[in-house]
Amino acid sequence: MRKIDLNNFRVARSETARDINRRIVLNLIRKHQPISRAGLARRCGLQRSTVSAITEQLIAERWVIKGAAGHLPRGRKPTFLHLNDERAGIVGVDIQPVTTTLAVAGIDSHFLAHESMSTGRDPAEFVARLSRRILDLIRAHPKSSYEGIGVSLPGRIDTSSQKLTFAPNLEWGELDIKTPLERATGLPVELENTANACALAELWSGRHTEGVSNLMTVTVSDDIGVGMIINGQLVQGSTGLAGEFGHVSLIQDGPQCRCGNRGCWEVLASNSAAARYYAQSASVRKGEVGSKSDMATVGFGDILRLVQQGDAKACKALDQMAHFLGVGIAMLITGLAPDVLVVVGEVTRAWDRVGPIVAEAVKQRSFTHAGTHILPTDPEAQPRLRGTIALVLQKHFGAPFIA
Ligand SMILES: [Zn+2]
């Protein structure tokens, strides 16, 4: 139960109930389409006439369209309703330190196109280039309207200023991306941390999260991000910085982290940690992958490939990373007891090897028996991009803020 905040409340008006019921009906159509009005009335418990009034409004607003008539042995043939995928497009932008991916999706979250561009070091130049690419993408996929742009970033967004405030891996400093993007495209922009956006994507379109209201995502790349949905609500903290478990120091005198601390979880369990473990143990024979001269060029992708070929040193490096991934996940499970913890990142490609090591570290350290299911996501399903689409979708499909 939530306490009523007397500094920030909304009283219920006559349209409040209508808005709640409208969103319930819209979500029922999204989930059970194609569905008849009678089917909707059965599922939500509202009068047929009320359901008809709501669906007429949704049809008038072009959120919903009538499909083919159904077949019943006798009586009136019901008309089936479904979401109007053609109503609007959504642009998704997933910014990562090296590469940024853009996509266009319909309101059914189905991708119509996606493409990549380099991120680059100069934020002003990047935002200008990104704006042009978005406009080109919209021109190439004309829709009657575009609902907005969802952007995920490997950093934290200040909830009041909407500025990027903490992004050690981008090295951009404090930055306003929202205003110039909105000005250039004329569309509303929703910004969110990558791990938070992935958590929202799981909530909205995850395969194993039906009925789940406590969910965490751990995004593993050259950094580690954590997104938390507790009691069905994204946790943002006082300034939007909640979830920086990647910078909790696990080894006091461990390796130096970009944030200034030592032995942070991300310096022990990220992709670059595995690359460092490999470089530290690899032989230094000249010209061989992994020799000191090649150290900087052995990326996490190379390590995964070497593991597939049975390379002992690559296996050892990946196992070490997996162990520390498990150590951090044990901390999350012990502290927050989520129903589901989803792991996002290239590391899930080797989950046959990594999963059991993570599970063992969790078993050894977490005594709460939280019953958390640890699930890897399929990288082919583009979990980061799906998150950016969810950022825009939740404005229309999410529960309204009341009281
Ligand atoms: Zn750190």
Side-chain angles (χ1 to χ4, degrees), residues 85-90 104-107 112 138 141-146:
D85 299 337
E86 291 302 310
R87 182 188 189 274
I90 297 166
V104 168
I107 57 169
L112 304 169
I138 288 175
H141 299 275
K143 290 257 177 196
S144 47
S145 69
Y146 269 80

Side-chain angles (χ1 to χ4, degrees), residues 80-324:
F80 286 105
L81 304 172
H82 46 94
L83 283 189
N84 178 13
D85 299 337
E86 291 302 310
R87 182 188 189 274
I90 297 166
V91 177
V93 179
D94 171 37
I95 301 175
Q96 292 191 59
V98 179
T99 308
T100 292
T101 316
L102 295 82
V104 168
I107 57 169
D108 57 352
S109 304
H110 181 76
F111 292 124
L112 304 169
H114 58 89
E115 57 185 55
S116 312
M117 60 186 270
S118 66
T119 303
R121 291 273 158 207
D122 178 355
E125 182 272 337
F126 168 73
V127 173
R129 200 153 42 87
L130 177 63
S131 305
R132 287 196 297 275
R133 290 289 287 260
I134 290 172
L135 289 172
D136 288 346
L137 205 55
I138 288 175
R139 264 192 291 271
H141 299 275
K143 290 257 177 196
S144 47
S145 69
Y146 269 80
E147 277 301 315
I149 303 170
V151 181
S152 68
L153 294 141
R156 297 287 163 177
I157 318 297
D158 186 295
T159 36
S160 54
S161 72
Q162 286 293 300
K163 282 183 181 172
L164 178 69
T165 52
F166 179 77
N169 291 314
L170 280 174
E171 296 172 6
W172 281 353
E174 190 175 293
L175 182 69
D176 180 7
I177 296 181
K178 189 178 163 77
T179 313
L181 262 189
E182 287 186 338
R183 208 169 281 157
T185 61
L187 291 170
V189 171
E190 304 294 325
L191 299 177
E192 193 49 88
N193 164 266
T194 308
N196 285 352
C198 287
L200 289 171
E202 286 300 323
L203 196 67
W204 283 100
S205 55
R207 284 174 303 158
H208 308 284
T209 50
E210 189 62 39
V212 163
S213 53
N214 295 288
L215 177 144
M216 302 187 80
T217 46
V218 176
T219 54
V220 186
S221 54
D222 284 335
D223 59 3
I224 288 188
V226 174
M228 294 181 280
I229 291 185
I230 305 290
N231 298 336
Q233 187 80 36
L234 184 70
V235 178
Q236 292 180 303
S238 62
T239 54
L241 273 169
E244 283 303 321
F245 289 99
H247 293 287
V248 171
S249 176
L250 298 179
I251 299 179
Q252 210 178 1
D253 52 358
Q256 182 73 46
C257 177
R258 272 176 272 205
C259 75
N261 276 346
R262 282 188 168 275
C264 290
W265 183 24
E266 87 170 33
V267 98
L268 301 168
S270 62
N271 293 358
S272 23
R276 193 183 66 247
Y277 297 141
Y278 179 79
Q280 282 164 353
S281 72
S283 67
V284 202
R285 280 222 310 267
K286 220 174 172 197
E288 192 183 343
V289 175
S291 72
K292 269 195 179 146
S293 59
D294 283 338
M295 231 175 75
T297 59
V298 178
F300 189 62
D302 299 315
I303 291 177
L304 290 181
R305 190 172 40 77
L306 288 166
V307 165
Q308 264 192 341
Q309 293 164 5
D311 180 285
K313 282 165 186 164
C315 289
K316 197 174 153 220
L318 184 66
D319 292 356
Q320 210 170 344
M321 171 202 182
H323 167 72
F324 279 111

